[in-house]
Amino acid sequence: QIMTARKRLHCGENTDDLERLSNAKRVCRGPSVSQPCSSMTCPKSIAAPFTSQLPPPEKRRPFSLEEAKDGTDEPVRVYLDGIFDMFHYGHAEALMKAKNAFPNTYVIAGVCSDELTRQNKGITVFTEEDRYRSLNHCRYVDEVLTDAPWCVTLDFLDEHQIDFVVQNSAPYKHGDTADVYHKVKEAKRFHAIERTQGISTSDIIAKIVRNYDGYVSRNLERGYSARDLNIGFMKEKELQVKNKMNKVKEKSHEFALRMEERSKDVIGGFLGLFGRDGRIGEFLNDKKERFKRAFTSPSPSTENQNPLGHPNSPPLLPRSSTPPSPSPS
């Protein structure tokens, strides 16, 4: 029923099935880390609707924290608000924690408008429409409330039948108010979650500002004009010259690396020929040894050896100064 109603809503059809969308029991408790939903059975196979597109929920008393933790037949309606600029995994994890806060949970994401955000925090990168759509297609969100209030009141929770506000436990100061969620916490309609560390929209913007020239140069190369990037003529030319210089440096570095490899090969080849243990050195050492052997005097043990080297030849007699006496006849 929920699937059919949302599909018709997504196609822009007016149907009475929308009433069943807000009142019917959930077919699936939504995606979680341990048991992700199947796209065939989970209603999150299509985009979450906006609050303005849904009929008002039926009035009932809010669930207590104990009831919500034990599990309820009707989904516990939780509300997580924010700017959600440059939607990142920190936002997604917060919504996931809201989804998994209780066994049966219906997540309403409240997104503040551009005007309200500029008044209280500053300019945004994404427009409100972009930010609405980012939440609209998040798998952990069941409903998107646009133009959300900056300060959440108990009347606002009752109007939208919200059981709990889900946010990190740190106080959020606004003007003279030490914590905009103070009254909600006093009414025990607040559920604290841990903030995701290491990521935030401000950190992302800081990275872009820190590498401003690099990102502007990147977009100039990708076809954006100086007017698109809000830079002057001189800045454009300066970055173009820097780009060309960087390319020349990269090519020079690559050429130097190639020359270094070639020089290593040449030096290795030279040492292989002319080094102490090279082929030419071995050749010269061999000739030197042969030359020494040729001019070295023979040892006494080899003086009486047959010059012909035949094993059956008689040994040579030593030479005498007097001729041998004749034998008697």
Side-chain angles (χ1 to χ4, degrees), residues 143-168:
E143 181 180 328
V144 179
L145 191 147
T146 61
D147 196 14
W150 198 263
C151 297
V152 179
T153 63
L154 294 177
D155 291 338
F156 172 81
L157 298 184
D158 293 337
E159 177 186 356
H160 296 278
Q161 291 296 292
I162 295 170
D163 296 298
F164 298 98
V165 172
V166 177
Q167 272 290 353
N168 66 82

Side-chain angles (χ1 to χ4, degrees), residues 199-300:
I199 184 69
S200 71
T201 301
S202 298
D203 292 340
I204 296 173
I205 294 175
K207 290 179 182 179
I208 296 173
V209 173
R210 186 167 56 248
N211 300 287
Y212 171 77
D213 285 356
Y215 287 112
V216 172
S217 299
R218 170 186 178 274
N219 279 12
L220 285 173
E221 288 185 345
R222 293 175 66 88
Y224 286 83
S225 66
R227 185 175 181 180
D228 295 333
L229 301 174
N230 196 28
I231 60 174
F233 175 80
M234 295 303 296
K235 184 66 175 179
E236 178 187 14
K237 297 307 175 185
E238 175 191 344
L239 294 175
Q240 288 176 346
V241 170
K242 284 184 179 180
N243 283 340
K244 291 181 180 180
M245 292 298 296
N246 289 334
K247 289 181 180 180
V248 171
K249 287 181 180 179
E250 291 176 0
K251 290 182 179 180
S252 300
H253 182 66
E254 293 176 359
F255 178 76
L257 291 177
R258 289 198 298 269
M259 291 302 297
E260 182 179 358
E261 292 297 326
R262 290 182 180 179
S263 64
K264 288 180 180 179
D265 295 339
V266 172
I267 292 173
F270 181 85
L271 293 177
L273 287 173
F274 299 100
R276 176 179 295 180
D277 299 326
R279 292 191 295 272
I280 292 181
E282 292 178 356
F283 175 78
L284 294 176
N285 289 335
D286 182 63
K287 292 297 182 182
K288 184 178 180 181
E289 290 296 326
R290 291 186 180 184
F291 185 79
K292 284 183 179 180
R293 287 196 299 269
F295 288 92
T296 300
S297 59
S299 60

Side-chain angles (χ1 to χ4, degrees), residues 2-236:
I2 297 174
M3 191 81 137
T4 303
R6 280 190 171 171
K7 284 182 177 179
R8 294 183 180 179
L9 174 64
H10 189 68
C11 296
E13 297 182 11
N14 294 322
T15 173
D16 294 336
D17 289 341
L18 292 179
E19 295 181 3
R20 287 184 290 173
L21 175 60
S22 59
N23 299 328
K25 182 180 177 180
R26 291 287 302 276
V27 175
C28 173
R29 290 178 180 175
S32 63
V33 177
S34 58
Q35 295 180 346
C37 290
S38 168
S39 60
M40 298 300 294
T41 60
C42 181
K44 287 310 296 171
S45 59
I46 61 174
F50 296 107
T51 303
S52 59
Q53 297 173 314
L54 298 173
E58 290 184 356
K59 299 292 182 180
R60 62 166 175 79
R61 70 169 181 84
F63 290 120
S64 66
L65 187 61
E66 291 75 16
E67 290 174 332
K69 287 182 178 180
D70 291 339
T72 56
D73 292 335
E74 187 176 350
V76 177
R77 293 168 66 88
V78 301
Y79 177 76
L80 191 150
D81 59 347
I83 311 301
F84 299 106
D85 193 19
M86 302 180 71
F87 191 84
H88 51 73
Y89 75 83
H91 295 140
E93 284 193 6
L95 293 163
M96 180 190 69
K97 292 173 183 176
K99 188 67 176 176
N100 295 323
F102 307 108
N104 190 6
T105 310
Y106 183 90
V107 176
I108 304 172
V111 188
C112 300
S113 65
D114 288 345
E115 181 180 358
L116 189 61
T117 304
R118 281 193 296 267
Q119 292 174 1
N120 294 281
K121 194 171 184 178
I123 62 173
T124 60
V125 178
F126 286 4
T127 65
E128 59 185 40
E129 184 65 24
D130 295 334
R131 294 184 286 113
Y132 295 158
R133 290 298 178 185
S134 297
L135 273 296
N136 183 241
H137 292 86
C138 178
R139 63 181 297 193
Y140 305 113
V141 177
D142 298 292
E143 181 180 328
V144 179
L145 191 147
T146 61
D147 196 14
W150 198 263
C151 297
V152 179
T153 63
L154 294 177
D155 291 338
F156 172 81
L157 298 184
D158 293 337
E159 177 186 356
H160 296 278
Q161 291 296 292
I162 295 170
D163 296 298
F164 298 98
V165 172
V166 177
Q167 272 290 353
N168 66 82
S169 57
Y172 192 91
K173 186 177 180 180
H174 173 64
D176 297 332
T177 305
D179 186 4
V180 297
Y181 302 109
H182 175 68
K183 293 183 179 181
V184 177
K185 292 176 180 178
E186 281 187 341
K188 296 183 179 181
R189 297 177 69 176
F190 185 90
H191 181 73
I193 58 175
E194 292 296 326
R195 179 185 178 88
T196 302
Q197 301 298 325
I199 184 69
S200 71
T201 301
S202 298
D203 292 340
I204 296 173
I205 294 175
K207 290 179 182 179
I208 296 173
V209 173
R210 186 167 56 248
N211 300 287
Y212 171 77
D213 285 356
Y215 287 112
V216 172
S217 299
R218 170 186 178 274
N219 279 12
L220 285 173
E221 288 185 345
R222 293 175 66 88
Y224 286 83
S225 66
R227 185 175 181 180
D228 295 333
L229 301 174
N230 196 28
I231 60 174
F233 175 80
M234 295 303 296
K235 184 66 175 179
E236 178 187 14

